[in-house]
Amino acid sequence: MQNIQTRSQSEFMQQFSDFKNEIFTEFRSILKEEINIALSQQKEFYERKICKLEERINDLENGLEEIEQYQRRLCIRIDGVPTTANETADEVFKNTEKLIQEACPDILSSQIDRAHRIGPEYQCFKTKRKCRSIIVRFATFKARTTVYRKRREMKDVKIKLDLTKKRYALFTKCVKDANDVNNNDVDYVYSDINCRLKVVLRNKSEKFFSSFDEYQEIVRMA
């Protein structure tokens, strides 16, 4: 009789243990599923939040770039002017002033606000002499525009608009793409007098762009 009771008790404990394990297994499965759902929801929430923050940062960066470019609207860059030993800032200004006034006699000294060297030294591909760029800031947008439009009359130097680093990188990337022999839709890419980037298509239509994706879309739709 005692053996029967002991066996019954043992069977009951085994059944109870199996039932307990089954319950725990089911509970863990449900808990794991609930946790996965909660984590997935949290992930989606933070992904949306990050996406919005990235869009906001992009908008802010574009806004700052526009402000920076606007601040450069009175400036041009001159490449190809050789450096001289121990040249002073005053000498750079006077030589730049002379260079400008030879092509634009109507530009007065008072209209040239500043002129100084900028950037690293390089070898001019024409003269083979060592040069550094010169950045020139004018007193008015009109004076700057007058000089820029006379740029082809200044021999042995190259006059460029003072684009921001970001805009210049985009400009050079698109110019390279436009010059690709397999690109039959683009005539050329340039920066207008207000430093806005434009692509001219083979059909002579012109479009503004502010990103490489926008440029590619214009070309794709041509």
Side-chain angles (χ1 to χ4, degrees):
M1 185 70 176
Q2 186 176 3
N3 290 337
I4 294 174
Q5 289 178 344
T6 301
R7 188 168 59 252
S8 297
Q9 185 178 10
S10 176
E11 290 175 354
F12 173 79
M13 294 301 295
Q14 182 62 45
Q15 289 176 353
F16 178 77
S17 177
D18 292 343
F19 179 72
K20 181 181 70 174
N21 290 337
E22 184 179 343
I23 292 294
F24 282 168
T25 300
E26 184 69 20
F27 177 75
R28 282 196 296 268
S29 177
I30 294 172
L31 183 61
K32 183 178 180 180
E33 184 177 353
E34 291 295 327
I35 290 172
N36 287 337
I37 292 172
L39 288 174
S40 178
Q41 290 174 342
Q42 273 196 327
K43 181 183 176 184
E44 291 177 3
F45 170 78
Y46 285 113
E47 283 178 346
R48 289 195 298 269
K49 192 169 184 179
I50 289 170
C51 185
K52 288 181 180 179
L53 288 172
E54 287 177 342
E55 290 177 357
R56 178 60 176 162
I57 290 170
N58 187 58
D59 289 341
L60 290 172
E61 287 179 344
N62 289 337
L64 287 172
E65 196 271 340
E66 286 291 339
I67 292 171
E68 182 185 352
Q69 188 61 74
Y70 186 80
Q71 291 174 336
R72 297 176 182 226
R73 66 192 298 269
L74 300 181
C75 300
I76 60 170
R77 289 182 181 241
I78 304 178
D79 287 332
V81 179
T83 55
T84 58
N86 302 318
E87 67 179 3
T88 65
D90 190 51
E91 287 173 339
V92 172
F93 183 90
K94 288 181 178 179
N95 291 334
T96 304
E97 179 184 54
K98 181 181 178 182
L99 176 67
I100 289 172
Q101 290 179 337
E102 284 176 353
C104 308
D106 294 336
I107 297 296
L108 304 176
S109 298
S110 59
Q111 293 176 293
I112 304 173
D113 185 27
R114 296 186 67 191
H116 61 84
R117 297 281 187 182
I118 190 171
E121 194 171 64
Y122 61 92
Q123 186 179 59
C124 178
F125 74 96
K126 283 187 177 181
T127 64
K128 305 303 180 184
R129 297 182 62 182
K130 292 183 178 180
C131 303
R132 283 183 67 206
S133 297
I134 296 175
I135 188 164
V136 187
R137 183 176 178 86
F138 295 88
T140 65
F141 183 73
K142 182 178 179 180
R144 175 270 214 176
T145 303
T146 298
V147 174
Y148 182 69
R149 285 177 173 163
K150 291 280 188 176
R151 63 190 181 278
R152 291 182 178 85
E153 298 181 22
M154 299 185 196
K155 297 179 180 179
D156 298 324
V157 297
K158 185 175 182 180
I159 308 296
K160 299 187 296 186
L161 296 173
D162 186 31
L163 302 179
T164 63
K165 185 177 181 180
K166 180 180 178 181
R167 194 164 302 196
Y168 184 71
L170 174 60
F171 173 70
T172 53
K173 185 177 182 179
C174 293
V175 167
K176 183 179 179 181
D177 182 82
N179 292 335
D180 191 325
V181 293
N182 297 317
N183 193 336
N184 298 317
D185 298 313
V186 178
D187 195 359
Y188 59 94
V189 173
Y190 76 102
S191 174
D192 73 359
I193 203 69
N194 293 304
C195 299
R196 297 174 298 179
L197 302 185
K198 270 188 171 184
V199 53
V200 181
L201 303 173
R202 296 292 184 186
N203 60 14
K204 300 307 177 184
S205 63
E206 299 185 18
K207 301 284 185 180
F208 289 109
F209 65 91
S210 57
S211 69
F212 191 66
D213 288 342
E214 193 173 356
Y215 163 82
Q216 287 183 312
E217 180 66 16
I218 293 170
V219 175
R220 188 183 68 82
M221 297 296 290

